C-alpha cells in the first residue's frame, strides 16, 4: 500500500506564499501522475494541479500563474509552490497519485494539510 505524506500547510496572509510537499513511500519513477486537490467544507474536492509521468502539467484556471507543481523523483516527492495566495485558496489540500498495479490504475491519497489564507 502506497503512502503519501503531505507537509507545508499553515496560515498565511493574503499575497503570501506557501510550499506544500508530498512524499511517497515508494519510488515515483513509474507513477502515472501525481497531483494536488483541495476541498472546503460542503464542496467537492477539486483538482488544483497535476503532473504526469511524461512531464505534462495541468492547472485549474483559478491557480494558473500563481501556483507551480514540480517533482523530484530522487526524493519521491511532488511539490506545490503557491504564490500570491488569496482567501479563496483556503482549503484542505490533498496529495493524489495513480500507479498502474496488476493492470489496473490504482489511486492513492494523502491525509491532507490545511491551508488558511487570512484577508
Amino acid at each position: 500500500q502506497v503512502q503519501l505524506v503531505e507537509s507545508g500547510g499553515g496560515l498565511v496572509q493574503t499575497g503570501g506564499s506557501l510550499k506544500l510537499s508530498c512524499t511517497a513511500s515508494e519510488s515515483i519513477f513509474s507513477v502515472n501522475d501525481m497531483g494536488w486537490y483541495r476541498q472546503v467544507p460542503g464542496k467537492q474536492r477539486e483538482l488544483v494541479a497535476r503532473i504526469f509521468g511524461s512531464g505534462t502539467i495541468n492547472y485549474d484556471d483559478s491557480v494558473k500563474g500563481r501556483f507551480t507543481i514540480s517533482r523530484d523523483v530522487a526524493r519521491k516527492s511532488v511539490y506545490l509552490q503557491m504564490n500570491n495566495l488569496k482567501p479563496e485558496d483556503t482549503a484542505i489540500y490533498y496529495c493524489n497519485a495513480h500507479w498502474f498495479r496488476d493492470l489496473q490504475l490504482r489511486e492513492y491519497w494523502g491525509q491532507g494539510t490545511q491551508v488558511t489564507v487570512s484577508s
Side-chain angles (χ1 to χ4, degrees), residues 33-86:
D33 61 277
M34 292 186 76
W36 293 93
Y37 286 70
R38 64 187 179 188
Q39 188 172 24
V40 297
K43 292 190 176 182
Q44 286 189 328
R45 197 171 292 188
E46 62 178 16
L47 175 68
V48 176
R50 179 169 50 193
I51 182 167
F52 289 84
S54 63
T56 299
I57 291 174
N58 300 137
Y59 293 104
D60 182 79
D61 286 344
S62 65
V63 306
K64 283 181 180 177
R66 300 188 298 122
F67 291 12
T68 302
I69 189 170
S70 62
R71 65 184 175 189
D72 186 331
V73 175
R75 288 182 166 81
K76 300 183 291 184
S77 295
V78 65
Y79 308 98
L80 186 68
Q81 177 66 48
M82 305 185 293
N83 298 328
N84 190 22
L85 282 160
K86 304 175 181 180

Side-chain angles (χ1 to χ4, degrees), residues 2 4 31 33-35 95-99 106-110:
V2 176
L4 303 174
V31 73
D33 61 277
M34 292 186 76
C95 182
N96 171 271
H98 295 91
W99 269 271
R106 299 185 184 276
E107 182 173 60
Y108 302 91
W109 291 94

